[in-house]
Amino acid sequence: MTREESRLAAENEAAEAAAVAREAVADALRTVVAGAVDASTRRRAEYSTDASNYRVVPEMVVFPESSDDVVAARTLLRELEIPVTARGAGTSVAGNAVGTGVVLDFSRHLNQVLDVDPEARTARVQPGAKMSALQAAAKPQGLRFGPDPSTQNRATLGGMIGNNACGPHAVAYGRTADNVVELDVLDGRGRRFTARAGDPSFSDVPGLKELVRENLALIRTEFGRFGRQVSGYSLEHLLPENGSNLARALVGTEGTLVTILEATVSLVPVPDTPTLVVLGYEDMPSAADDVPALLRYKPLAIEGLDARLVDVVRRAKGAQAVPDLPEGAGWLMIEVGGITQDHALGKAAAIVRGSSALDSAVFPAGPDAMRMWQIRADGAGLAGRTPAGEQAWPGWEDSAVPPEKLGAYLRDLQDLMDRYKVDGLPYGHFGDGCIHLRIDLPMEASGSILRTFMHDAADLVAKYGGSLSGEHGDGRARSELLPKMYSPEAIRLLEKFKALFDPDDLMNPGVVVRPRGVDQDLRRPAATPVSSVKPITGLIATLTGGPSSRTGYTGFGFAHDHHDLTTAVHRCVGVGKCRADNGPSGGFMCPSYQATRDEKDVTRGRARVLQEAVNGTLVGGLTAPEVHESLDLCLSCKACSSDCPAGVDMAQYKSEVLHRTYQGRLRPIDHYVLGWLPRWARLAGPFARWVNAALKPRWMQKLVLWGGGMDTRRKMVSFAEVPFREWWRRGGATGGVPGLRVGEVPGREAETAARLATKPKVVLWADSFSDSMAPSVPQAAVEVLSAMGYDVIVPGDGACCGLTWISTGQLDGARRRLEGLMKVLGPYAVNGIPIVGLEPSCTAVLRSDLVDLFPDDARALAVSRAVVTVAELLTGKRSKTTIPLPAPSPDWSMPSLEGVSAVVQPHCHQYSVMGFAADREVLTSAGAQIRELAGCCGLAGNFGMQKGHYDVSVAVAENALLPALREAAPGDIYLADGFSCRTQADHLAGVQGKALVELIAERL
């Protein structure tokens, strides 16, 4: 045996032994806890990182169902000397929520708001309760929790207590530490006690009284020097003049001392008439210089925004996402309240007068103010890319200095970044002197530059008397740097404090005390590039659609990620917005997680498994079973591509993975049945009457569904006896006279030709679904477009976008079809003729996937820019740059939709790629009363038809669609442009839907 063979054999033997030991511990835990214990490779991959730069693979994950479960698990693990890390939403940007031993996930079960006491203005919560849930529970009492980080719709109270979270309104209400009353905790010695204020003897922690008494001068001089000094432990709360408050001292200890079982927190009144003042400055440091003068007005919040971040929002979300801002390149967002609106406006006017701003604007509570706060909320994700589109990383993410030093600190910090030739988008809580900043430090190969930059940045913040962390804690990102801001005596004091609670260092080891290095355990350097897939030839290639004609490689181009799948999947930085219920704000992400509440089924969890697959250590590559298990319940709805601030497109990644997995291999039967559906529809066309009749008996449908890899509870689709293009060819739009153009009069062709020549031309693209399964939709479109005064062109040749090939990962076949489509539609596009799409999913392919599959093809770009929806033509508005849209005839007027009451289901792909604003405007401006749904219908093309997906498909439909249909009044209509959406409503509720263009045609 060679030396290399011996090494590999030893590694395999060690891995097998570790697996046996891991399963033995898991079995032991299962005997003492009621909650799930999961030691699977996939689960460990999902929890291997949080929202930080760090990757630490746990041995297993436990989902405790009660405090008793937590105590039992901790008791066993302490006896076995196995480290424990507590985790809430996993949104820590410093690496506070990853660990080598056992991760306790509190968000699954221990997530309740137990009590709200309006008299005492307090609430009792479990550690996994979301902050937004607490706000919702307190709101009816006119109360709220003061600190409010931008991640509040997924951040848990336990995590906020662990990191001492703050948020924009901490300038008025203080940090989490300032709002904690009592903590029910379990420490590293196994002692359970209630930490609170007012016990100078600290009777629950022997030795603490003496430690405080012996170090009074040290604590008074080095700790609590300014409001956002969060780094280290906040020992100032133990001082007698501060109430000997052990509860507050345990806030921000990052799970290194105690595990929180329950918390009592204080609440504050909801502010009346909140009003937002936006002040414009020459730059961000100039805005920071003005903060001390503005603090005397006692605002509720003072936030800083950089112009470049606002530009990123405009590019990512559209110009409509940003209200008209005052002149400047940096802004302060200042919120004030008042007894009345006039009172608040008076405060706002005083702030404007007292500022040195170049310009100002005042936004009372309303849409513009909400858009400003949304910019701020999306900052954590959008700032994950520099203005040049490069990946930016946390680490130096939330440094803080006293507010009076903020402007000077920002200037020096920019100089430091310039010396390193790196970039980032600063923003943050200027009223507290806290800056959020992600920086494009090169970490693809190593963490060496990160290390030197972090040390230099720590020296800089220490120079200004600041804190390495202003609200996120030190974690693995900054704990090593604590000696930069604390004396050796203070560092030893932190170690002694830790030893009183956790002498064996089993609670989140490597953080704060005896820390890991800032460049250890980094996630990104472990992942190597994943090159594109070369095309195949031969029989399999022929069966699956033939190799692409493009030379070189197949699959998606990932042009925005340097043509590298590894870079693409690392777009996910763990912000966790996919874990939130985005429906109330109109978001669609992530439907499968909303149904299962399992990290496996959320965009972030899938991205983590893909990241593990490309680093090749824990998960064995993209073809590994863990990858396919993780992706199985992804609906490919593409909502993450729009809702995720980091721009993750899991639908695209799933398609690419399926493409790579089955390249040159036989596929599951449903890939051929559902993935080739347009092909079967075309073949069935001439025999549609007989095919439909044959499939009508229920037993026959079940047989075909079972044989095709589909769920037998579904129904078979029916095919149009006269497809749209055949109807058109026969003269269906011209009274049965083939060859006539719409508007031509038989026998007077020459006379009308001149008139038709003056009409603007549009191409009506009949996709495979509209053509073969819903011809009434394009027929209605002909009627509407003609009434609008357009000369409607229907190409003689079919043009399939390959959607079903894309969703099943048959990218060779998809490219083949798209090449054919570009031959048909390309000449119209390059000549500036708009192409009207009807089926949202197919239209979205041309607007997004087409360019990603053909990144270097000018025809692809031309077609993508030329494609519009009917609503976009009606409004003259398109979400992105396009060819000029020809105006309708001056004689055209939109028919009234007064009296129409509709449940409206935007298609996921339309929401994600084109947006629904134009459709909404058409409906509401014409007088329709609509209930617009947020969230996927659950069918999602082939997903809901596939065997094993039915229950999740129904659960997703229960999020919005089915309740809305049940609650609809008699006479309400169901409006959905998506063929899948209408099919789902039919299958699950027996409701027949119609497309927008059909509704308009009825009213002409």
Side-chain angles (χ1 to χ4, degrees):
M1 182 180 291
T2 66
R3 181 178 299 177
E4 179 65 15
E5 289 172 338
S6 298
R7 183 185 65 81
L8 291 174
E11 288 180 357
N12 289 335
E13 184 176 346
E16 290 175 4
V20 171
R22 185 182 308 117
E23 197 53 45
V25 173
D27 286 341
L29 280 168
R30 291 182 185 112
T31 65
V32 297
V33 302
V37 178
D38 195 336
S40 68
T41 300
R42 193 209 73 243
R43 184 67 79 191
R44 296 167 65 215
E46 292 160 4
Y47 285 75
S48 63
T49 187
D50 44 19
S52 71
N53 301 329
Y54 299 94
R55 171 186 177 270
V56 181
V57 180
E59 292 300 307
M60 65 200 68
V61 181
V62 177
F63 301 91
E65 293 184 355
S66 65
S67 294
D68 289 342
D69 269 2
V70 179
V71 174
R74 283 282 319 282
T75 300
L76 174 63
L77 295 171
R78 187 174 63 256
E79 293 171 355
L80 297 175
E81 298 184 347
I82 295 174
V84 175
T85 299
R87 181 173 171 126
T91 55
S92 163
V93 296
N96 332 59
V98 289
T100 55
V102 173
V103 171
L104 298 178
D105 186 333
F106 288 87
S107 67
R108 177 78 67 85
H109 302 296
L110 293 173
N111 55 17
Q112 300 300 304
V113 176
L114 300 172
D115 175 64
V116 173
D117 185 340
E119 297 299 324
R121 290 184 177 177
T122 61
R124 288 191 307 115
V125 297
Q126 292 180 315
K130 287 192 297 187
M131 187 203 164
S132 57
L134 173 57
Q135 303 292 46
K139 186 176 180 180
Q141 310 297 334
L143 300 172
R144 54 163 285 173
F145 188 63
D148 55 346
S150 60
T151 56
Q152 62 179 286
N153 60 359
R154 62 265 197 199
T156 63
L157 270 298
M160 291 176 62
I161 293 168
N163 294 348
N164 200 1
C166 301
H169 291 92
V171 71
Y173 304 126
R175 306 156 298 179
T176 297
D178 303 311
N179 293 271
V180 165
V181 179
E182 291 183 351
L183 295 176
D184 179 4
V185 299
L186 182 70
D187 74 3
R189 295 176 181 266
R191 299 175 301 207
R192 183 175 181 177
F193 57 89
T194 299
R196 56 172 66 92
D199 179 11
S201 68
F202 302 113
S203 55
D204 293 312
V205 187
L208 181 55
K209 174 185 175 181
E210 292 73 20
L211 186 68
V212 172
R213 185 179 61 218
E214 293 165 5
N215 292 277
L216 288 172
L218 183 61
I219 296 172
R220 284 170 176 150
T221 54
E222 294 209 33
F223 296 88
R225 289 176 285 109
F226 74 107
R228 285 298 184 104
Q229 184 180 342
V230 169
S231 283
Y233 297 140
S234 298
L235 301 184
E236 70 274 11
H237 296 297
L238 300 173
L239 294 169
E241 62 265 31
N242 292 332
S244 302
N245 197 323
L246 180 57
R248 289 186 175 184
L250 291 177
V251 175
T253 55
E254 306 181 39
T256 62
L257 307 181
V258 297
T259 298
I260 298 166
L261 303 175
E262 189 179 303
T264 301
V265 298
S266 59
L267 304 174
V268 298
V270 174
D272 296 318
T273 61
T275 298
L276 189 64
V277 183
V278 181
L279 303 177
Y281 296 85
E282 181 180 354
D283 52 31
M284 292 285 279
S286 299
D289 289 338
D290 217 13
V291 167
L294 300 175
L295 284 171
R296 70 175 185 266
Y297 295 98
K298 300 189 182 306
L300 299 174
I302 302 182
E303 297 292 291
L305 282 179
D306 187 273
R308 297 181 302 159
L309 178 60
V310 174
D311 287 340
V312 169
V313 173
R314 288 193 181 102
R315 289 199 299 271
K317 306 290 186 179
Q320 74 283 351
V322 179
D324 291 335
L325 294 175
E327 176 188 350
W331 295 278
L332 292 180
M333 295 169 49
I334 306 173
E335 187 177 82
V336 295
I339 300 172
T340 65
Q341 184 66 71
D342 288 342
H343 184 210
L345 291 173
K347 286 185 175 182
I351 287 175
V352 172
R353 288 193 301 271
S355 76
S356 59
L358 300 174
D359 194 10
S360 64
V362 176
F363 301 119
D368 285 340
M370 289 177 63
R371 283 189 288 172
M372 289 300 302
W373 282 115
Q374 191 59 49
I375 295 171
R376 177 61 188 80
D378 284 340
L382 294 173
R385 293 271 157 175
T386 68
E390 296 302 316
Q391 180 79 61
W393 303 98
W396 198 248
E397 210 280 339
D398 65 316
S399 58
V401 297
E404 63 271 15
K405 300 178 181 180
L406 183 58
Y409 170 64
L410 279 173
R411 292 180 180 93
D412 284 352
L413 181 58
Q414 186 60 57
D415 289 343
L416 177 64
M417 293 168 63
D418 291 343
R419 292 203 302 274
Y420 274 84
K421 295 182 171 58
V422 294
D423 198 6
L425 297 169
Y427 65 99
H429 313 302
F430 278 31
D432 290 308
C434 183
I435 298 299
H436 291 308
L437 177 66
R438 294 175 183 239
I439 305 171
D440 62 339
L441 292 159
M443 286 200 294
E444 289 77 8
S446 76
S448 60
I449 296 177
L450 169 73
R451 181 174 186 81
T452 57
F453 178 88
M454 292 287 286
H455 276 263
D456 287 346
D459 287 333
L460 176 62
V461 84
K463 166 187 166 184
Y464 283 99
S467 179
L468 306 171
S469 170
E471 66 176 331
H472 291 156
D474 300 306
R476 295 165 186 271
R478 293 177 287 269
S479 293
E480 182 196 354
L481 306 174
L482 286 171
K484 300 278 189 180
M485 63 176 285
Y486 289 116
S487 68
E489 293 78 15
I491 295 296
R492 285 193 290 272
L493 179 58
L494 296 179
E495 293 171 351
K496 292 176 181 178
F497 186 60
K498 160 91 165 171
L500 292 176
F501 295 85
D502 181 35
D504 298 322
D505 201 14
L506 295 177
M507 301 197 66
N508 211 7
V511 173
V512 184
V513 171
R514 291 178 290 280
R516 299 281 288 172
V518 299
D519 57 343
Q520 292 181 283
D521 307 316
L522 290 172
R523 169 166 38 96
R524 187 60 179 89
T528 56
V530 174
S531 61
S532 299
V533 179
K534 292 185 177 180
I536 57 169
T537 58
L539 177 61
I540 298 298
T542 302
L543 289 173
T544 57
S548 167
S549 66
R550 185 180 74 168
T551 58
Y553 300 95
T554 67
F556 285 106
F558 300 110
H560 296 298
D561 295 292
H562 303 294
H563 303 283
D564 176 27
L565 180 60
T566 295
T567 303
V569 299
H570 277 87
R571 275 184 173 270
C572 178
V573 292
V575 172
K577 188 177 179 183
C578 46
R579 282 176 58 99
D581 182 0
N582 297 290
S585 61
F588 278 49
M589 178 178 68
C590 176
S592 51
Y593 176 75
Q594 296 303 319
T596 69
R597 299 293 175 177
D598 191 322
E599 184 77 12
K600 174 180 77 72
D601 301 317
V602 74
T603 303
R604 183 181 69 179
R606 295 182 180 112
R608 294 312 188 213
V609 173
L610 288 172
Q611 289 168 5
E612 288 296 316
V614 297
N615 73 32
T617 53
L618 182 62
V619 175
L622 293 172
T623 62
E626 293 88 351
V627 173
H628 290 267
E629 184 180 2
S630 182
L631 294 174
D632 180 53
L633 294 184
C634 171
L635 283 76
S636 295
C637 69
K638 291 184 81 74
C640 49
S641 69
S642 174
D643 284 350
C644 173
V648 171
D649 188 347
M650 192 54 62
Q652 195 173 88
Y653 305 163
K654 178 178 181 179
S655 181
E656 183 76 13
V657 167
L658 291 173
H659 172 59
R660 290 168 182 266
T661 299
Y662 294 107
Q663 183 84 345
R665 297 172 52 198
L666 290 175
R667 293 171 166 269
I669 185 63
D670 60 272
H671 284 204
Y672 300 111
V673 174
L674 296 170
W676 292 5
L677 184 58
R679 175 179 287 172
W680 306 134
R682 188 172 65 253
L683 292 174
F687 317 102
R689 179 179 301 176
W690 296 277
V691 172
N692 293 337
L695 294 176
K696 189 173 183 179
R698 187 65 187 139
W699 66 268
M700 177 60 77
Q701 289 190 21
K702 288 188 174 184
L703 179 63
V704 173
L705 290 165
W706 176 84
M710 293 172 279
D711 195 290
T712 57
R713 287 168 286 187
R714 287 291 180 184
K715 301 175 185 176
M716 288 294 296
V717 297
S718 58
F719 302 103
E721 295 185 12
V722 181
F724 168 73
R725 285 195 308 108
E726 178 64 19
W727 173 85
W728 177 269
R729 188 185 64 79
R730 295 178 184 178
T734 55
V737 183
L740 278 185
R741 295 159 66 185
V742 178
E744 259 185 340
V745 180
R748 301 172 63 182
E749 290 85 349
E751 177 184 336
T752 56
R755 177 172 55 82
L756 290 174
T758 64
K759 287 187 173 186
K761 293 178 171 55
V762 294
V763 173
L764 179 60
W765 170 46
D767 58 87
S768 299
F769 294 97
S770 300
D771 181 50
S772 300
M773 284 168 268
S776 62
V777 176
Q779 288 170 11
V782 170
E783 191 174 355
V784 172
L785 294 172
S786 299
M788 292 172 69
Y790 294 114
D791 183 10
V792 181
I793 302 170
V794 175
D797 296 325
C800 177
C801 68
L803 167 68
T804 54
W805 278 265
I806 293 172
S807 62
T808 53
Q810 303 180 72
L811 297 184
D812 286 323
R815 287 180 54 83
R816 180 77 170 266
R817 276 140 193 86
L818 284 168
E819 285 172 339
L821 178 142
M822 287 189 290
K823 289 178 182 177
V824 174
L825 299 182
Y828 299 108
V830 298
N831 282 287
I833 301 175
I835 300 166
V836 180
L838 300 172
E839 170 60 38
S841 53
C842 297
T843 305
V845 168
L846 302 196
R847 292 270 279 261
S848 62
D849 290 335
L850 172 63
V851 179
D852 290 335
L853 285 166
F854 294 87
D856 303 319
D857 195 318
R859 298 173 303 162
L861 185 59
V863 170
S864 177
R865 288 177 171 174
V867 172
V868 297
T869 67
V870 172
E872 288 171 336
L873 266 185
L874 284 164
T875 60
K877 299 175 182 177
R878 187 183 188 273
S879 58
K880 295 182 181 179
T881 304
T882 182
I883 60 177
L885 295 181
S889 165
D891 298 330
W892 160 259
S893 61
M894 175 70 190
S896 172
L897 298 181
E898 293 286 347
V900 172
S901 179
V903 173
V904 181
Q905 172 72 68
H907 190 282
C908 293
H909 290 185
Q910 179 171 4
Y911 165 83
S912 305
V913 178
M914 290 87 75
F916 197 70
D919 299 69
R920 185 183 304 116
E921 181 178 332
V922 168
L923 288 164
T924 56
S925 63
Q929 298 297 313
I930 65 172
R931 175 180 177 182
E932 183 180 327
L933 305 184
C936 183
C937 72
L939 186 60
N942 58 293
F943 173 85
M945 297 292 295
Q946 289 171 312
K947 194 174 294 182
H949 292 171
Y950 182 83
D951 292 334
V952 171
S953 175
V954 174
V956 171
E958 285 289 357
N959 286 335
L961 174 62
L962 292 180
L965 294 180
R966 286 193 290 266
E967 295 164 9
D972 286 0
I973 65 171
Y974 173 55
L975 200 63
D977 279 357
F979 179 78
S980 291
C981 305
R982 298 194 299 271
T983 301
Q984 180 81 320
D986 179 28
H987 284 191
L988 301 184
V991 173
Q992 303 298 312
K994 62 179 63 178
L996 172 63
V997 74
E998 292 180 296
L999 174 63
I1000 297 172
E1002 291 173 358
R1003 294 292 180 117
L1004 288 175

